[in-house]
Amino acid sequence: MLRQLGYQPQLARRMGPFGNFALSFSIISVLSGCMTLFGFGLITGGPADMLWGWAFVGLTVLCLGAALAEVTSAYPVAGALFYMAGRLGGPKWGFYTGYLNLLGLLGGMAGGSYGMSLFVGAWLNLQWGFTPTPGKTLAICGAILLLLAVLNLFGVRLVSVLNSVSVWWHIGGVAAIVGALALIPSHHQSASFVFTHFANTTGWGNHLYVIALGLLLAQYTFCGYDASAHLSEETVHAQISAAKGIVNSIFYSWIVGFVLLAGMLFAIQDYAGTVGTATGVPPAQIFLDALGLTGAKILLLVVIVAQLFCANAGLASASRMVFAFSRDGALPFSKTWQRLSPRTKTPVPAVWLSVVVPFVLALPSLYSLTAYYAVTAINVIGITPAYAIPVFLRLRAGDRFVRGPWHLGRWSKPIGWTAVIWVAFITVMFLLPQVSPVTKDSFNYAPVALAAVLLLATIGWATRGRRGYGIPAYGTAKERALLGEDLV
């Protein structure tokens, strides 16, 4: 199938169906996304927005994931989103989709590794009185990225094993956290507080705007499931396994994440104290108030290990995307980034690029924590439109799209259009300011990053992409016509 799609197999196909699912489940990582943006949720809508927003966003993302899985089943290649867009819409669609996808993946690596460094700093503070200054937090972030690079260089088999362990760690971790918070504290918030309390300390007076801002917690967490598609060239029975990996990872994360958020919100002892915690990490304050010092340190370690699993899987996905995009000649110095280790078949230069760029993206955190929230928005506004573009092009192709063995049947169009409309709304939403008044410290620089990447893509297309970029031709002229490539 891969040769039919125009590529000679180069990567090692050593990942099974469960490993493929585990990869996306690990990147979604409710113990990473929900926890790192928990404080953001407390000020942008509070408990009501966090829980009902999670339920609503999870449903829309499930529609998007299912629509994307249908296209993945037809095109199970490492390039994933940009390959799909190029096949269905032409080289320019693929070129721009690839740059958006790359922005989202690298933004996700920056957000995930920096968020993890905040939790490590909080744990060190509880253990040894460590003061997590911005400079020290960034240094921890750099050390985390270095560790992740080393782990990924051992090859996809180790990545697959770690992801499989990650699934059970996440499920067990959520059970341990929710169980401890339910059984140990003598005081819990009421159901009315958890499901209806609205809080807004953003400075904006429009509650609908604040509620929409609060959806970032869920939308950011539900990112990265395209990893199942990016590693399809390393997955057996990829047309089925990768598609199922996308859908199942979203569904189970949706359920587990709701339980986690509810358990955390019921256990809040002091709302204002949690928001303004000296640890800098509101979940750490909840653990501390509800369970004491020892319990807090244990549960923080559970979260930190889960975040490490998440970031490790994210790096695997990002590096494969860099490799595949370079394989088609889309990136500067493409010949460098597509090189593989002769022993492990791992794209070593692509791995290093995928940790250096996130570190650079995290540098503004030295000046403002708001910059971290902007990095998470960068992840969303880069990767989410990249998910929707292949879905839109598949809808535009209509019956000329040749479905793979996993598809939505008659539900394809309603689910697909629901996903596309949602993505258009949420992308615009996260380009807007997050707090008021807007100052140099609170400025959301996500639009700047998006504009910079689109400018880079435009320059790249004009100077080299128009002449040299292109995914390999599929099969015969007749087969290409059946796929709707007469639309190009």
Side-chain angles (χ1 to χ4, degrees), residues 67 70 391 394-395 401 403 407-417:
E70 182 176 58
V391 175
R394 177 262 175 275
L395 292 168
F401 170 74
R403 296 187 293 202
H407 58 82
L408 296 171
R410 62 189 177 91
W411 291 99
S412 181
K413 288 184 178 180
I415 288 176
W417 283 116

Side-chain angles (χ1 to χ4, degrees), residues 157-182:
R157 183 164 290 168
L158 176 62
V159 171
S160 182
V161 170
L162 290 175
N163 289 332
S164 297
V165 174
S166 171
V167 171
W168 303 113
W169 184 273
H170 275 81
I171 293 174
V174 169
I177 290 171
V178 174
L181 293 177

